[in-house]
Amino acid sequence: MTRRKWTITTYVNGQQREVSLVVYDTLGVMRRESTKWANRVTQGKADFSAAEGVCHGFELIRVYKDGSEKKHPHAVTVRLAQGHTSPLIVSHEIAHAAQHLYALDFLGSRRDELAVDHIDVDNENFAHLYGELFAAAWGAINSEPERGGTNER
């Protein structure tokens, strides 16, 4: 399995957040890897057999013996496949990534609030976050392999 991988770092929400962007050689490998990762938390119920791209959102928090916590900046993995990196597919998956980061950083414990209360034409925080993530992802995917990302086998 060969893949290209980048880390997109953003500070738009006021703190460091990282999105892993992975482009696999084939759609089949991307679907298998997405299902394998998701099945760790869904008890084998994940099915990405028809997916053109996948976004996994999560939150990593280290809890220390004294009860204090530290959030890890890595919170999203976007998985794509060669030949399936059109602006529509990339934009779609990055929208999911931006929604997840927005929910983590702006809504926090209020994540059950209706999106209509936050996602509207005046939401500059979300617009800047989405724009920065999409521009970085699009630039990475369209860069020459030797100029960006890591090639892994």
Side-chain angles (χ1 to χ4, degrees), residues 16-119:
Q16 180 181 349
R17 288 294 187 181
E18 295 175 358
V19 175
S20 290
L21 176 64
V22 185
V23 179
Y24 295 91
D25 280 349
T26 69
L27 197 56
V29 171
M30 185 277 299
R31 289 172 175 167
R32 277 193 309 277
E33 290 298 308
S34 297
T35 300
K36 185 169 78 174
W37 187 92
N39 278 340
R40 296 183 324 172
V41 294
T42 63
Q43 291 76 44
K45 297 178 181 163
D47 179 12
F48 296 104
S49 60
E52 296 287 319
V54 175
C55 179
H56 296 298
F58 45 86
E59 186 171 27
L60 301 173
I61 301 173
R62 173 172 281 167
V63 180
Y64 296 94
K65 288 181 182 179
D66 66 1
S68 63
E69 298 179 350
K70 181 179 181 188
K71 292 181 181 180
H72 191 280
H74 185 221
V76 178
T77 298
V78 172
R79 300 175 193 274
L80 302 166
Q82 287 289 68
H84 299 269
T85 56
S86 69
L88 180 62
I89 293 170
V90 175
S91 177
H92 177 97
E93 297 308 328
I94 292 298
H96 288 304
Q99 289 167 335
H100 178 68
L101 295 180
Y102 182 87
L104 286 178
D105 296 336
F106 287 101
L107 300 182
S109 63
R110 301 174 298 135
R111 292 179 72 180
D112 59 348
E113 290 185 17
L114 296 175
V116 71
D117 294 334
H118 303 277
I119 305 300

